[in-house]
Amino acid sequence: MPSRTSRSHITAALLTCAGLCLWACGSAWKPTHLARAFFIAVSRQSGWRQSAVRCRAASPWQVEPESLGLNSTHLANFASDLDRKYIQSGLLKGAVLGVVRRGQVVALWELGDYTQNTVFKLYSISKVFTAIAGLQMMEEYGVALDEPISNLVPEWPEDLKVHSSDESVSSMRVLTLRHCLTHTGGFSSTLPTVHPCSAMRPLELARLKSRIAGNGRPPRNLQEMVEREGHHPHIFEPGSHFNYCGIGSQLVARAIENATGLNIAEYMQRKLFRPAHMDNTGFTIDESNAECCVSTDYHPWVIPAVAAGTPGSRWKRFRLRMRGLLARLLGRSLLHNVKPAGMGVISPKKLWDQSLELFHPDAGVVGTGADFLQWLAMLTNG
């Protein structure tokens, strides 16, 4: 039986061969990574561990925590534990940790590679902004929660179709604003990162396959995207079940656009971000913030789901899966640069490309940690 040292060298050789294959296939792995792959493999077999990432944090206190009923020692211990468990361990490249109470920023820690000025893709936090914008619309324009969406969004059909067995039948219920705000609309669009492919209904799988195949021209704006969605049958009657989906947020945003005459990006700037002094948040950013953008990284065990929902060729998805597999074999906590820094959340355009016309109100907002603390301060200010 091979010795422990021999086994480590065999493992390293296999991993190096895998890295060469991926490099030859055009992946992000390059020959300069191979020596590191060999070193990590041998080191892991022999019990060697990498040194911890140092925490870069100045004095975190913005106000005296005790004056707001908080314990500074407990907060400091919490920040230290988070840094040790997630940053120093390599599970995350960095974090911006803030504590907000009664409208005041109490503390701020900048951990690892990130600062309060780092531009993050906020992804599904965008739904929070859209929901609050929807509540503003209700208050200002007297819209009821149970108002039919077809009354608020002209391109949305009154006669909904629900997929039952092998056919689509007319819905017994009307889709309302309440359904869109509570993820109970029964929409058939989904992603493998939200629902595993093995748990998807046949209609959801068919739509996923069509999307990743890139069938049809991409929609130019939110109105066109919603109009196309209206042609797809629902997977259940509105209000029957909870099913997390971004289509409801898109319909809320379209209702806002139709009521105000502003696109959702302009509305959020005027009614949400500027009043909250969130100067570096929106669907696009100023190009001066380009250097503050960070890449989109994933934990290797999430990569199969990410690959399953990635548009393009099968070869592209296969390469991504192989990168994830190699990262797992190497014991890496993160697969870096899956999406380069500055690339749009969904659009291939850069985040500072002001020609963007399709704004995704369910996942498209980007902003800084400092701005998000401003948002939390506004929400907690009574």
Side-chain angles (χ1 to χ4, degrees):
M1 184 175 181
S3 67
R4 183 175 183 179
T5 302
S6 298
R7 290 198 305 271
S8 68
H9 283 78
I10 292 171
T11 301
L14 290 172
L15 294 177
T16 302
C17 288
L20 279 169
C21 291
L22 288 176
W23 172 61
C25 293
S27 82
W29 289 86
K30 295 179 173 57
T32 52
H33 297 151
L34 299 181
R36 178 170 171 78
F38 180 87
F39 181 61
I40 290 176
V42 173
S43 301
R44 285 190 176 276
Q45 291 288 336
S46 59
W48 178 87
R49 300 182 65 181
Q50 290 177 279
S51 60
V53 178
R54 293 180 61 85
C55 170
R56 178 186 41 73
S59 176
W61 311 116
Q62 312 294 303
V63 298
E64 186 66 33
E66 280 71 16
S67 67
L68 292 170
L70 299 174
N71 187 301
S72 57
T73 302
H74 290 172
L75 292 178
N77 289 340
F78 176 78
S80 179
D81 287 345
L82 185 144
D83 178 57
R84 175 176 52 82
K85 291 178 181 178
Y86 295 98
I87 312 302
Q88 295 190 39
S89 68
L91 287 174
L92 295 174
K93 290 201 303 191
V96 178
L97 173 62
V99 178
V100 178
R101 185 168 173 82
R102 298 173 187 167
Q104 295 189 62
V105 178
V106 179
L108 171 66
W109 288 269
E110 298 173 319
L111 308 176
D113 294 344
Y114 299 157
T115 75
Q116 59 181 314
N117 297 317
T118 297
V119 176
F120 297 101
K121 297 170 182 174
L122 299 182
Y123 287 102
S124 285
I125 293 176
S126 307
K127 295 180 178 68
V128 176
F129 301 130
T130 302
I132 291 180
L135 297 178
Q136 287 179 332
M137 175 190 67
M138 290 174 57
E139 188 175 73
E140 185 172 349
Y141 294 91
V143 177
L145 264 177
D146 293 314
E147 185 74 25
I149 282 294
S150 58
N151 292 349
L152 304 173
V153 181
E155 62 271 20
W156 191 256
E158 292 184 25
D159 181 24
L160 291 182
K161 299 296 182 181
V162 177
H163 193 73
S164 177
S165 300
D166 294 327
E167 61 178 353
S168 295
V169 299
S170 293
S171 173
M172 302 291 290
R173 301 181 184 179
V174 174
L175 181 72
T176 67
L177 183 61
R178 182 190 302 272
H179 298 142
C180 294
L181 288 168
T182 57
H183 296 280
T184 56
F187 307 105
S188 57
S189 177
T190 189
L191 291 171
T193 48
V194 178
H195 301 290
C197 292
S198 59
M200 289 184 188
R201 299 167 178 85
L203 181 58
E204 293 172 310
L205 272 175
R207 291 199 61 186
L208 173 64
K209 290 178 181 178
S210 176
R211 183 166 61 246
I212 64 176
N215 295 337
R217 176 183 58 80
R220 291 170 297 184
N221 51 43
L222 184 59
Q223 178 180 348
E224 191 172 301
M225 184 162 62
V226 164
E227 185 175 7
R228 293 185 186 184
E229 184 62 35
H231 297 302
H232 293 284
H234 292 220
I235 54 177
F236 56 77
E237 293 278 356
S240 300
H241 307 287
F242 176 89
N243 190 59
Y244 185 80
C245 179
I247 303 300
S249 295
Q250 295 172 13
L251 284 167
V252 172
R254 271 298 296 142
I256 294 167
E257 291 184 341
N258 190 54
T260 64
L262 302 171
N263 67 46
I264 192 60
E266 293 170 333
Y267 181 89
M268 286 191 181
Q269 282 296 333
R270 293 188 188 185
K271 297 292 188 176
L272 296 181
F273 302 143
R274 287 176 191 164
H277 305 289
M278 299 167 68
D279 300 326
N280 296 303
T281 298
F283 289 92
T284 58
I285 60 172
D286 191 273
E287 192 170 355
S288 62
N289 290 325
E291 294 298 320
C292 298
C293 296
V294 292
S295 63
T296 303
D297 311 316
Y298 288 95
H299 295 292
W301 52 86
V302 181
I303 289 298
V306 175
T310 299
S313 66
R314 292 182 179 180
W315 180 242
K316 180 181 179 180
R317 290 188 289 277
F318 174 77
R319 285 170 51 192
L320 183 55
R321 288 190 181 97
M322 290 301 101
R323 285 184 62 194
L325 177 60
L326 182 59
R328 293 184 69 176
L329 290 172
L330 289 172
R332 295 197 170 189
S333 300
L334 282 175
L335 187 62
H336 298 286
N337 208 37
V338 176
K339 285 186 179 180
M343 177 181 279
V345 180
I346 297 172
S347 168
K349 293 184 177 182
K350 296 294 186 181
L351 291 175
W352 50 87
D353 189 335
Q354 302 300 321
S355 69
L356 183 68
E357 295 180 349
L358 176 56
F359 307 108
H360 288 265
D362 53 319
V365 176
V366 297
T368 63
D371 273 9
F372 198 73
L373 287 177
Q374 287 290 111
W375 173 257
L376 295 178
M378 183 189 70
L379 290 183
T380 60
N381 200 26

